[in-house]
């Protein structure tokens, strides 16, 4: 071997000692294609580094992470290009698992992305096993902080300190990095993200349970609304059917009254016409008889035979039997009272139907019976309440009781413990043997200390009774028909419809209905037995009674 050949052999020996990694691009892991060099001295395929920088905000070396102020002007590395051509081999990449949808993909892989095994907190990138190799070999890259693969790594970094968000500030409820805990959040309670995650996860379970409960409640509300609509339809159908039945009966009654009226009038007219016809016949007969006599007279007047004349005249001296028509009259029929009597019959039928309707109405409202008891804390100090809270009367003596903002101090009033803010309710109060009382409902905010008017405007819907006189208290008061035998009063309230009705339970009669009422707060049943010295006969109690629907 000549001296000239030895250097060539040395070069050949040196070339064969290079591994394939020396001729592969660290981005695509393939043999360099048009290799170019960055200002820091690292080489990449022109296409790879160009595409890499197109996708980045900063221009940095993918290998050593050095930042450049401006995008470098890349030039082909001629020496490396020749060595790659001379080497003539391609780098074989070891098989690695491809990235699945749930995996974090490698940011350096082009084409098919492999599964990342680590993420770099300095590079803000994730690497597969092959692309991670520079971080395990290059001294500068070895200093980078590697963590388990994370997707969207830039969102997990502190924008201020460019560090991983590892803690949670409980004061400001934000994720912070280690530097944040030593500066802006130094005085705040800070816990590791995992600890706060576990706490929030537990809360999330509670929130989910609450949400599910809210969903169930709303589903229940939907069902209740549907049931209400269904009941409303049934009620409407029943009301229409009842109305048709009653109105049909009334129409039949009106038709019968009309037929009876027509028949009576026609019969009376027919009787008058028959009387007139008989009289006319009789008069016509008499006229005929008289006409015949007139003919006989005329004929006799022409007779010259004295004997015949005298004999015939003798028979003409007695006139024919006729009626004295000076006393005969045809009176037209009188219809006075005929229509009134028909209307009286119609009124009787209508009253019967009204009684049936009121009885049905009473049964419907009684279905909304509520169990109410009197509230001792609201009763005026003179009032005596039964132990079960169902009776109240005036005791005549003002008792010393603890101060209570709910207590009436100026009037002998008492409310029930129960209040109502929606729907319908009904209760009954016995008023037997009393000469005076007040009954009704009152809103929660009524004045309980001083005197006031008791009108709907001030929050009272009240029926007042005094010595057989009934009035609904309003501006002006509404006088009502007296009910001397009134023993039990039923009260029905439809909160949503703004309706307050009072009934005479025993007579099954509506006393009065206040309509178009406005209720904006809870309503309480209201009782006032009045003082007992009204002629000494008002000592009987007002008694909240159970509803007896068989009455």
């Amino acid at each position: 071997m000549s001296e000239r050949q030895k250097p060539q052999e040395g070069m050949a020996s040196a070339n064969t000692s290079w591994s394939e990694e020396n001729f592969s691009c660290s981005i695509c892991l393939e043999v360099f294609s048009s290799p170019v060099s960055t200002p820091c001295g690292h080489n990449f395929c022109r296409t790879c580094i160009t595409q890499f920088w197109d996708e980045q905000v900063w221009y940095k070396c993918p290998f050593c992470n050095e930042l450049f102020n401006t995008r470098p002007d890349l030039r082909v590395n001629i020496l490396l290009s020749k060595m790659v051509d001379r080497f003539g081999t391609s780098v074989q990449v070891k098989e690695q698992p491809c990235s699945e949808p749930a995996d974090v993909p490698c940011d350096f892989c082009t084409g098919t992305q492999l599964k990342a095994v680590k993420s770099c907190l300095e590079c803000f990138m994730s690497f597969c096993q092959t692309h991670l190799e520079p971080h395990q070999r290059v001294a500068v890259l070895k200093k980078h902080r590697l963590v388990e693969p994370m997707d969207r790594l830039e969102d997990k970094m502190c924008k201020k300190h460019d560090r991983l968000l590892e803690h949670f500030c409980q004061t400001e409820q934000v994720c912070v990095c280690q530097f944040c805990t030593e500066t802006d959040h130094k005085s705040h309670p800070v816990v590791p993200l995992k600890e706060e995650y576990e706490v929030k996860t537990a809360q999330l379970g509670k929130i989910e349970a609450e949400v599910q409960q809210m969903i169930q409640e709303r589903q229940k509300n939907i069902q209740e609304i549907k049931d209400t609509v269904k009941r409303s339809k049934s009620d409407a159908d029943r009301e229409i059917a009842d109305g048709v039945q009653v109105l049909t009966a009334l129409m039949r009654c009106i038709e019968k009254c009309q037929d009876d009226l027509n028949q009576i009038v026609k019969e009376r007219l027919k009787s008058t016409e028959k009387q007139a016809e008989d009289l006319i016949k009789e008069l016509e007969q008499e006229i005929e008889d008289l006409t015949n006599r007139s003919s006989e007279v005329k004929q006799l007047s022409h007779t010259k035979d004295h004997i015949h004349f005298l004999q015939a005249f003798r028979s003409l001296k007695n006139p024919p039997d006729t009626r004295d028509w000076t006393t005969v009259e045809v009176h037209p029929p009188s219809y006075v009272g005929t229509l009134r009597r028909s209307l009286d019959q119609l009124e009787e039928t209508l009253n019967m139907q009204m009684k049936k309707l009121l009885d049905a109405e009473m049964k419907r409202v009684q279905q909304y019976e509520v169990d109410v008891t009197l509230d001792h804390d609201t009763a005026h100090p003179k009032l005596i309440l039964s132990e079960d809270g169902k009776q109240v009367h005036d005791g005549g003596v003002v008792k010393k009781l603890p101060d209570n903002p709910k207590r009436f101090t100026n009037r002998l009033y008492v409310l029930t413990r129960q209040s109502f803010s929606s729907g319908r309710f009904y209760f009954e109060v016995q008023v037997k043997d009393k000469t005076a009382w007040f009954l009704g409902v009152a809103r929660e905010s009524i004045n309980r200390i001083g005197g006031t008017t008791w009108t709907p405007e001030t929050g009272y819907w009240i029926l007042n009774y005094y010595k057989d006189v009934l009035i609904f208290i309003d501006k002006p008061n509404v006088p009502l028909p007296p009910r001397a035998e009134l023993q039990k009063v039923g009260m029905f309230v439809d909160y949503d419809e703004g309706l307050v009705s009072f009934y005479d339970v025993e007579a099954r009669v509506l006393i009065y209905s206040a309509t178009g009422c406005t209720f904006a707060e809870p309503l309480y049943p209201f009782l006032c037995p009045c003082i007992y010295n009204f002629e000494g006969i008002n000592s009987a109690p007002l008694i909240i009674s159970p509803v007896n629907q068989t009455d």
Side-chain angles (χ1 to χ4, degrees):
M1 181 180 297
S2 65
E3 294 293 331
R4 194 171 184 174
Q5 289 176 327
K6 289 180 180 180
Q8 293 177 351
E9 291 175 358
M11 182 177 290
S13 176
N15 289 341
T16 56
S17 66
W18 282 46
S19 66
E20 294 178 351
E21 293 179 359
N22 296 111
F23 299 98
S24 60
C25 172
S26 59
I27 295 179
C28 66
L29 303 183
E30 300 291 342
V31 174
F32 286 116
S33 174
S34 299
V36 293
S37 300
T38 60
C40 58
H42 296 111
N43 303 299
F44 306 93
C45 299
R46 177 184 290 276
T47 302
C48 293
I49 189 62
T50 299
Q51 182 177 355
F52 175 78
W53 280 343
D54 288 343
E55 297 173 354
Q56 301 296 315
V57 176
W58 303 305
Y59 303 121
K60 62 181 180 179
C61 174
F63 193 82
C64 67
N65 214 31
E66 181 177 344
L67 288 172
F68 309 115
N69 293 330
T70 59
R71 185 163 182 160
D73 184 15
L74 299 174
R75 295 185 179 182
V76 176
N77 189 322
I78 299 175
L79 177 60
L80 183 57
S81 295
K82 291 181 178 180
M83 293 179 67
V84 169
D85 292 340
R86 185 171 181 181
F87 191 78
T89 61
S90 62
V91 179
Q92 301 296 323
V93 180
K94 297 180 180 179
E95 291 186 3
Q96 296 185 57
C98 294
S99 173
E100 298 293 335
D103 296 332
V104 178
C106 174
D107 293 323
F108 265 83
C109 289
T110 58
T112 302
Q113 289 182 299
L114 302 181
K115 177 181 177 181
V117 295
K118 293 290 181 181
S119 293
C120 178
L121 301 183
E122 306 292 334
C123 302
F124 297 145
M125 291 186 174
S126 299
F127 304 94
C128 63
Q129 187 62 53
T130 300
H131 288 129
L132 183 64
E133 186 273 335
H135 281 75
Q136 298 171 334
R137 174 173 53 81
V138 179
V140 175
L141 298 181
K142 285 182 179 181
K143 297 178 181 179
H144 290 187
R145 186 177 176 187
L146 300 177
V147 295
E148 292 302 311
M150 297 182 181
D151 59 342
R152 301 182 62 182
L153 193 59
E154 64 277 6
D155 294 340
K156 296 178 173 60
M157 304 301 292
C158 176
K159 299 297 188 292
K160 184 174 182 180
H161 301 112
D162 203 22
R163 290 292 184 272
L164 183 67
L165 299 170
E166 300 178 282
H167 304 281
F168 185 81
C169 174
Q170 295 179 327
T171 300
E172 298 187 12
Q173 294 290 299
V174 294
C175 298
V176 296
C177 69
Q178 183 62 37
F179 284 180
C180 291
T181 64
E182 299 170 358
T183 54
D184 298 343
H185 300 264
K186 186 176 181 179
S187 61
H188 298 169
V190 176
V191 296
L193 282 181
K194 183 179 180 182
E195 181 178 330
E196 188 65 21
Y197 170 81
E198 293 173 351
V199 172
K200 290 291 192 290
T201 301
Q203 293 178 355
L204 196 64
K206 183 180 179 181
I207 293 173
E208 172 64 15
E210 292 174 351
V211 170
Q212 289 300 323
Q213 183 178 354
M214 291 174 68
I215 291 174
Q216 292 176 3
E217 290 174 353
R218 280 149 182 77
Q219 290 174 339
K220 182 180 178 181
N221 290 340
I222 290 174
Q223 188 58 47
E224 289 175 351
I225 292 172
K226 289 182 177 179
D227 292 342
T228 300
V229 172
K230 185 177 180 180
R231 286 196 302 271
S232 299
K233 186 177 184 304
S234 298
D235 292 344
D237 292 341
R238 183 177 62 251
E239 192 71 16
I240 291 173
D242 292 345
V244 168
Q245 182 179 357
V246 171
L247 294 175
T248 301
L250 288 176
M251 286 189 289
R252 284 199 297 265
C253 181
I254 292 173
E255 291 172 354
K256 184 178 184 302
C257 287
Q258 183 177 0
D259 292 341
D260 292 345
L261 176 64
N262 292 341
Q263 184 177 354
I264 291 172
V265 170
K266 288 178 179 179
E267 285 179 353
R268 289 183 180 179
L269 176 61
K270 186 177 180 180
S271 175
T272 300
E273 291 174 342
K274 179 67 168 60
Q275 179 190 5
E277 183 180 349
D278 291 344
L279 290 174
I280 290 171
K281 285 183 179 179
E282 187 175 347
L283 285 167
E284 288 176 344
Q285 182 62 49
E286 288 187 3
I287 290 171
E288 183 180 353
D289 293 342
L290 291 172
T291 301
N292 292 335
R293 185 175 181 80
S294 175
S295 298
E296 291 176 0
V297 169
K298 287 179 180 182
Q299 185 178 1
L300 184 61
S301 65
H302 292 91
T303 301
K304 301 300 181 181
D305 186 340
H306 295 164
I307 297 175
H308 176 71
F309 176 85
L310 292 174
Q311 290 175 343
F313 183 82
R314 184 178 178 181
S315 63
L316 290 175
K317 291 177 66 177
N318 298 323
D321 294 334
T322 58
R323 184 195 290 261
D324 182 6
W325 292 98
T326 60
T327 60
V328 176
E329 292 184 44
V330 177
H331 297 284
S334 173
Y335 302 113
V336 176
T338 305
L339 180 59
R340 177 180 53 78
R341 285 189 292 273
S342 295
L343 292 178
D344 288 343
Q345 182 181 355
L346 180 61
E347 182 181 7
E348 182 180 353
T349 303
L350 181 60
N351 288 336
M352 291 177 58
Q353 293 296 330
M354 284 295 294
K355 191 176 186 312
K356 290 180 181 179
L357 283 175
L358 284 170
D359 188 65
E361 181 177 327
M362 281 290 295
K363 289 181 179 179
R364 283 201 296 271
V365 299
Q366 285 177 333
Q367 293 176 356
Y368 297 98
E369 177 189 10
V370 291
D371 184 15
V372 292
T373 54
L374 300 174
D375 186 356
H376 289 74
D377 291 338
T378 66
H380 185 277
K382 282 185 66 177
L383 295 180
I384 304 297
L385 274 62
S386 62
E387 189 173 333
D388 62 359
K390 297 293 185 180
Q391 301 186 26
V392 59
H393 70 276
D394 175 22
V397 178
V398 177
K399 302 185 295 295
K400 291 184 178 180
L401 299 173
D403 291 338
N404 192 316
K406 297 195 301 181
R407 190 180 308 284
F408 290 98
T409 58
N410 194 41
R411 303 285 182 180
L412 301 185
Y413 297 166
V414 62
L415 303 179
T416 63
R417 296 179 181 274
Q418 297 76 18
S419 65
F420 304 90
S421 301
S422 63
R424 303 163 185 165
F425 63 94
Y426 174 87
F427 62 100
E428 294 179 353
V429 178
Q430 179 178 306
V431 297
K432 183 180 179 181
D433 298 329
K434 293 192 66 62
T435 58
W437 45 259
F438 293 88
L439 293 176
V441 291
R443 66 188 181 203
E444 188 174 40
S445 64
I446 53 175
N447 184 358
R448 308 185 188 206
I449 299 176
T452 184
T453 56
W454 312 320
T455 64
E457 185 178 357
T458 58
Y460 294 87
W461 290 265
I462 296 177
L463 187 69
N464 174 225
Y465 176 84
Y466 176 60
K467 292 184 177 180
D468 296 338
V469 176
L470 269 175
I471 62 171
F472 177 77
I473 301 179
D474 203 343
K475 273 188 178 180
N477 288 334
V478 181
L480 302 170
R483 306 200 66 81
E485 302 299 324
L486 188 59
Q487 297 187 27
K488 188 182 291 186
V489 176
M491 280 167 279
F492 172 71
V493 177
D494 190 326
Y495 191 100
D496 303 317
E497 291 294 328
L499 172 69
V500 179
S501 296
F502 300 88
Y503 294 89
D504 181 340
V505 177
E506 303 297 330
R508 318 294 282 181
V509 171
L510 174 67
I511 299 174
Y512 182 74
S513 280
T515 59
C517 308
T518 300
F519 307 132
E521 55 185 273
L523 293 179
Y524 288 82
F526 165 96
L527 283 75
C528 172
C530 294
I531 59 177
Y532 72 89
N533 59 352
F534 276 121
E535 299 180 0
I537 57 174
N538 195 38
S539 59
L542 291 175
I543 304 174
I544 298 175
S545 307
V547 173
N548 182 5
Q549 296 193 22
T550 61
D551 286 343

